[in-house]
Amino acid sequence: MLVKRLRLKNFRNYAEEDVEFGSIRNIVIGENAQGKTNLIEAIEYSALGRSTRTTDDKELIRKGESRAAIILDFEANTLEQRIEIELSLRMTAGARGPRTALDRKVKINGVSYSSTRNLAGKIVVVGFKSLDLNLLRGGPRYRREWIDDLTSTLKTSYARSLSRFNKAVTQRNRLLKEMFERIRLSQSDEDELKVWDQQVASLGASLVRSRLMVLKSLIPLAEARQAQLSGAREKLSIEYFLHSIDDEDPRADGILNLDEESEIMPEKEIEEKILTCLATRKREEIARRQTLTGPHRDDVRLKLNGFDATAFASQGQQRSLVLSLKLSELFLVAHFLKEPPILLLDDVLAELDLSRQGYLMESLSESMQTIITTTHIDGFKPEWLSGASFLSVHDGRARKGESPLEEKPAGR
């Protein structure tokens, strides 16, 4: 896969820009807050149908403007293709007065679609950015988003299933709020809750099993990477914690086995576990007016030598562990696609010491297009710069730059 050309209009701090990329290594240089990451974000949005930096797409539209556009020309499966995305603001009437709504329009190779979810799988990227250290430094939400994005890449129907599950949880939460506000529950309330319980359990079990299948494929790859990076001193293990088990009860074991020899738990058994916990926690959920059980509450637990890496790993160990996970993700996606995905490295080299930088760069395939953002190239080895295309970004403008390896004429 190759990104060939990216055109932006009123996207973030870009008024209008047209950028062409080289086929192998692209190095985007600029100071902070000049627009380097915005280029990466536009490519990611075209691949994922959402931003990984904000949950409010209105923030993507340049301040003072009402419309933004992304046009991405790329190659996949040897075919030239194009994605066009338009985001536009409009005023709409609300209960508390006028409010701003966002409309999205998507075209893929000239065909219009009603949702950005249709972008899934058209162009595949693997992103590695400094924020990925939140896999360890942040809470379970970051790890859920990571495994959801990876699973969506490997199974295109997963994103639709996740959307259906989230809608079911929203509807169930609305009912829980209504039940909380009533003094006495009617039989119809109880019956309706059972319907939503079944929806949440059935859709949730499908998501959990898909996550488990991806993790089971990823674990041996990540274990091997971590062993290499640590000189065999550290053993990585990954556990899936099912929040449908009462984690406040020390006797409850919510860990689903991901050992190489073990079979993944059948979907029906996962569904039954979720249903059981929904019934057990019914009063608590009504009191809190939210669904406390399901994959939107689960966690992926990362351990080094048996200890929780989020609590006990040093900063160096955390960087190595995330590097192991991302490189394993890259390999898994490339194997699934039968062609390399596009690798987006956003300011990540600044978070890695020279040995980890070297391990990362040496692990990359020469046939894989890589887009690297950085504030400087000090410390870059000449072989990393050789043959690369350079872009200089300043104040929302991207311009083709010269290679620092090119010799300057005498007297200059």
Side-chain angles (χ1 to χ4, degrees):
M1 289 192 174
L2 294 175
V3 170
K4 294 199 162 183
R5 185 181 181 189
L6 174 67
R7 281 169 281 178
L8 302 176
K9 187 172 180 63
N10 296 327
F11 182 87
R12 290 288 193 180
N13 69 329
Y14 287 94
E16 194 160 359
E17 195 53 271
D18 189 337
V19 182
E20 293 185 356
F21 293 94
S23 59
I24 301 299
R25 190 165 294 160
N26 297 268
I27 300 178
V28 183
I29 306 172
E31 297 299 323
N32 292 327
Q34 299 303 303
K36 303 188 307 295
T37 297
N38 297 340
L39 294 177
I40 296 289
E41 183 179 26
I43 296 170
E44 276 193 321
Y45 195 97
S46 302
L48 302 174
R50 66 175 181 83
S51 170
T52 58
R53 299 169 68 199
T54 178
T55 57
D56 185 358
D57 283 0
K58 292 194 286 291
E59 294 178 9
L60 304 179
I61 299 175
R62 192 166 182 252
K63 189 174 181 180
E65 302 292 339
S66 61
R67 186 167 300 180
I70 303 170
I71 301 176
L72 187 74
D73 293 321
F74 65 101
E75 181 183 302
N77 299 316
T78 70
L79 298 175
E80 302 283 336
Q81 304 192 53
R82 175 175 289 179
I83 287 170
E84 300 171 73
I85 302 168
E86 183 180 287
L87 306 174
S88 57
L89 302 175
R90 62 180 170 85
M91 297 304 295
T92 183
R96 299 180 180 177
R99 65 183 184 88
T100 305
L102 181 76
D103 292 327
R104 301 172 183 83
K105 293 180 182 177
V106 174
K107 281 187 181 179
I108 303 171
N109 299 324
V111 179
S112 297
Y113 294 90
S114 59
S115 171
T116 57
R117 287 197 300 273
N118 295 97
L119 293 168
K122 298 300 183 293
I123 181 171
V124 178
V125 303
V126 172
F128 187 10
K129 52 185 80 72
S130 56
L131 285 176
D132 284 323
L133 289 167
N134 281 329
L135 283 170
L136 292 172
R137 296 173 181 171
R141 174 175 67 87
Y142 293 97
R143 294 183 285 278
R144 287 194 296 266
E145 288 178 352
W146 165 67
I147 193 60
D148 282 339
D149 284 343
L150 177 54
T151 308
S152 296
T153 298
L154 300 176
K155 185 178 180 181
T156 54
S157 63
Y158 183 84
R160 290 191 295 274
S161 299
L162 182 60
S163 176
R164 290 175 61 203
F165 171 80
N166 288 334
K167 287 176 181 175
V169 170
T170 298
Q171 292 291 336
R172 189 175 184 272
N173 287 347
R174 185 174 292 127
L175 176 60
L176 291 171
K177 183 180 178 183
E178 291 171 359
M179 294 171 76
F180 174 80
E181 291 169 350
R182 292 179 187 134
I183 298 173
R184 184 173 300 170
L185 301 184
S186 67
Q187 187 59 48
S188 67
D189 288 332
E190 298 281 2
D191 293 342
E192 187 179 355
L193 186 60
K194 285 181 181 178
V195 171
W196 288 115
D197 285 357
Q198 186 59 57
Q199 283 281 306
V200 167
S202 176
L203 292 168
S206 173
L207 295 178
V208 170
R209 195 163 199 281
S210 294
R211 288 175 175 178
L212 293 174
M213 292 173 71
V214 169
L215 284 171
K216 187 141 187 173
S217 298
L218 183 81
I219 285 172
L221 301 173
E223 285 177 343
R225 293 280 188 190
Q226 187 65 27
Q228 282 182 305
L229 276 167
S230 67
R233 292 188 299 274
E234 296 167 2
K235 179 172 174 53
L236 168 65
S237 57
I238 301 176
E239 298 173 342
Y240 190 91
F241 184 79
L242 196 70
H243 197 83
S244 57
I245 305 299
D246 189 349
D247 56 354
E248 294 180 1
D249 182 351
R251 298 167 299 174
D253 183 9
I255 297 171
L256 299 188
N257 203 332
L258 286 166
D259 292 343
E260 193 173 349
E261 302 78 17
S262 304
E263 293 292 327
I264 294 174
M265 181 179 289
E267 192 171 308
K268 196 65 183 173
E269 285 187 35
I270 300 171
E271 181 180 328
E272 289 168 359
K273 282 180 175 289
I274 295 174
L275 276 172
T276 298
C277 199
L278 286 170
T280 303
R281 287 186 159 183
K282 183 175 73 172
R283 291 188 181 280
E284 180 187 0
E285 289 186 324
I286 292 172
R288 293 174 62 175
R289 290 156 284 178
Q290 59 180 306
T291 302
L292 304 174
T293 292
H296 63 303
R297 305 279 295 189
D298 293 350
D299 195 5
V300 177
R301 295 185 173 175
L302 306 166
K303 293 187 174 184
L304 288 177
N305 296 333
F307 293 97
D308 183 355
T310 62
F312 297 104
S314 67
Q315 286 195 2
Q317 287 174 319
Q318 289 181 357
R319 290 182 173 94
S320 293
L321 200 159
V322 173
L323 181 57
S324 298
L325 291 174
K326 298 305 291 188
L327 286 173
S328 301
E329 175 184 343
L330 189 64
F331 181 89
L332 195 62
V333 171
H335 178 75
F336 171 77
L337 293 176
K338 309 300 183 194
E339 66 174 331
I342 295 149
L343 178 61
L344 307 174
L345 299 177
D346 186 22
D347 265 343
V348 73
L349 294 180
E351 291 283 351
L352 304 175
D353 59 26
L354 289 177
S355 65
R356 292 183 181 91
Q357 283 184 23
Y359 185 82
L360 168 60
M361 301 304 283
E362 289 160 13
S363 299
L364 303 183
S365 165
E366 283 299 320
S367 62
M368 179 185 301
Q369 186 185 40
T370 306
I371 302 173
I372 304 169
T373 71
T374 183
T375 55
H376 56 81
I377 56 170
D378 298 343
F380 277 55
K381 292 183 179 179
E383 57 265 34
W384 301 351
L385 302 174
S386 179
S389 299
F390 290 83
L391 281 171
S392 175
V393 174
H394 176 72
D395 195 23
R397 302 306 301 268
R399 292 290 176 263
K400 210 163 192 58
E402 291 184 354
S403 168
L405 298 181
E406 292 180 3
E407 292 187 9
K408 301 292 183 185
R412 295 284 299 273

